[in-house]
Amino acid sequence: MARLPTLAVLGATGAVGTVMCELLTGRRNVWGEIRLLASERSVGRKVRCRGEELTVQALTEDALDGVDVAMFDVPDEVARHWAPIAVRRGAIVVDNSAAFRMDRDVPLVVPEINPEQVANRPRGIVASANCTTLTMIIAVAPLHDEYGLRELVLASYQAVSGAGQAGADTLHDQLAKVAGDRMLGARTGDVRQAVGDDLGPFPAPLALNVVPWAGSLTDGGWSSEEMKLRDESRKILGMPDLKISATCVRVPVLTGHSVAAHAVFATEIDVEGAREVLRNAPGVIVVDDPAAGEFPMPIDAVGTDPSWVGRIRRTLDDPRALDFFVTGDNLRKGAALNIVQVAELLAEDLTRP
């Protein structure tokens, strides 16, 4: 029997790294040794993974020796520095940052859509997509396969945990400040006054509010999150000229990104046929009964692996267009699960006779 590959988890004590360890515990075991690596401030911490307490080690070059696959959940600049080092030490890197996603020599892989691309890795790196893209593309891809996608218009509703622990802490702190005053939100400026300067990583208060902005400013007034939805979707689907327009909105939800999608196809859409396509799609669950009050919502999707899809309806003015709503846990399929799935594809390849 072939030796089981050695796995390293970089950023093991972060929000996504913690979920990766949980997933490694609950999924089929395809790994030999597992090493948990993190920055100096986390060294020595104990993390439960695969039924045992593992001690977090410092991220050093020596710690990468003998590693076959390294799962990265670290900031972009850390990934840019350490991913090539890990590759030189013999590892295949699965990276969750934005550092390599649009590199032509780095595949952007969603196992339910383009698993064959893991073999196309001349730099020794496989990238995982942005959490909002992953939530949405799982539903769009099977519809594209059936009907031929021509255009996407997207509006995202992104949870604060997408901005890390600071985002979650900011929302909780703001909610505590506004909870006791039922008149807040009735006058201009009253919510801002109640919240004060406690904006955290956001440009405006999130409590009792939505903010039509996520990411950083790019050319033409587009945000980086909006450009990720456009560019990453094109690359995953292999459609470099696909028309995509996105508006990203931050909402007062702790975990679970949502997207309202308007998709135009090459052929006329049959709604029941589209529902059946989605019911049979891997990684998708259909929750679509408005009469019974059943919708895909982040409070239900949180802690689960699939993308939840509903509000499926044919556009009134175009028989080739479909409107639907999709939500999913941005820390699971939006990040940790996709990385783990890609790593498992690599493990299968490494142990194949």
Side-chain angles (χ1 to χ4, degrees):
M1 179 178 177
R3 175 186 67 87
L4 291 178
T6 296
L7 174 72
V9 182
L10 279 70
T13 59
V16 173
T18 300
V19 177
M20 285 196 282
C21 290
E22 292 174 2
L23 290 167
L24 290 170
T25 299
R27 293 175 67 84
R28 182 172 61 92
N29 184 30
V30 298
W31 304 107
E33 180 189 356
I34 295 179
R35 301 179 195 172
L36 307 185
L37 308 178
S39 61
E40 288 291 341
R41 66 178 179 272
S42 297
V43 171
R45 284 180 54 179
K46 302 288 187 180
V47 176
R48 191 157 188 83
C49 183
R50 204 174 52 172
E52 56 185 321
E53 295 288 334
L54 299 181
T55 302
V56 177
Q57 305 175 45
L59 173 54
T60 65
E61 293 195 22
D62 288 345
L64 292 167
D65 280 348
V67 170
D68 297 294
V69 178
M71 303 193 305
F72 277 50
D73 182 63
V74 294
D76 293 1
E77 62 274 12
V78 178
R80 289 191 189 98
H81 176 77
W82 282 100
I85 293 173
V87 172
R88 287 199 299 270
R89 293 274 172 159
I92 304 168
V93 170
V94 185
D95 181 42
N96 191 44
S97 81
F100 304 103
R101 288 174 186 155
M102 300 313 299
D103 188 315
R104 62 182 298 175
D105 291 326
V106 175
L108 187 59
V109 175
V110 183
E112 294 87 345
I113 300 171
N114 59 348
E116 73 286 348
Q117 288 298 316
V118 296
N120 178 29
R121 49 176 197 272
R123 294 191 62 182
I125 301 169
V126 180
S128 186
N130 173 265
C131 46
T132 315
T133 303
L134 281 166
T135 297
M136 175 272 302
I137 205 72
I138 287 291
V140 168
L143 293 169
H144 164 57
D145 290 342
E146 184 71 18
Y147 300 109
L149 185 64
R150 291 295 178 266
E151 183 176 352
L152 277 175
V153 180
L154 309 168
S156 74
Y157 305 84
Q158 296 181 212
V160 296
S161 58
Q165 189 59 46
D169 291 342
T170 296
L171 178 60
H172 281 302
D173 291 344
Q174 290 182 1
L175 290 174
K177 290 180 177 180
V178 304
D181 188 347
R182 295 195 177 192
M183 295 303 295
L184 283 175
R187 301 183 309 279
T188 299
D190 60 353
V191 173
R192 289 184 182 273
Q193 184 176 9
V195 168
D197 296 328
D198 179 25
L199 299 182
F202 310 117
L206 258 296
L208 305 179
N209 194 31
V210 299
V211 179
W213 187 260
S216 56
L217 183 63
T218 69
D219 293 343
W222 296 94
S223 79
S224 57
E225 290 287 308
E226 290 159 352
M227 296 307 295
K228 288 174 186 177
L229 273 171
R230 176 177 183 264
D231 297 340
E232 294 175 14
S233 297
R234 286 175 158 189
K235 185 172 181 179
I236 292 165
L237 295 174
M239 303 176 71
D241 298 319
L242 180 64
K243 294 180 180 179
I244 303 178
S245 182
T247 300
C248 290
V249 182
R250 192 72 72 178
V251 297
V253 169
L254 186 64
T255 302
H257 288 349
S258 305
V259 178
H262 174 83
V264 181
F265 297 93
T267 59
E268 185 169 331
I269 296 294
D270 171 71
V271 175
E272 282 307 315
R275 284 197 184 95
E276 193 61 23
V277 167
L278 290 167
R279 287 191 190 101
N280 292 323
V284 172
I285 182 171
V286 174
V287 183
D288 192 23
D289 190 352
E294 294 181 358
F295 314 102
M297 295 180 288
I299 58 169
D300 300 317
V302 63
T304 71
D305 291 340
S307 289
W308 295 41
V309 185
R311 295 302 321 280
I312 303 163
R313 59 218 188 271
R314 192 168 77 169
T315 303
L316 293 174
D317 300 317
D318 187 347
R320 300 171 302 120
L322 195 72
D323 288 272
F324 57 92
F325 191 84
V326 55
T327 190
D329 188 321
N330 52 294
L331 300 179
R332 293 184 74 87
K333 182 56 183 175
L337 176 61
N338 199 72
I339 301 166
V340 169
Q341 288 175 307
V342 172
E344 288 172 349
L345 288 177
L346 294 169
E348 180 180 339
D349 184 53
L350 290 170
T351 55
R352 185 176 292 116

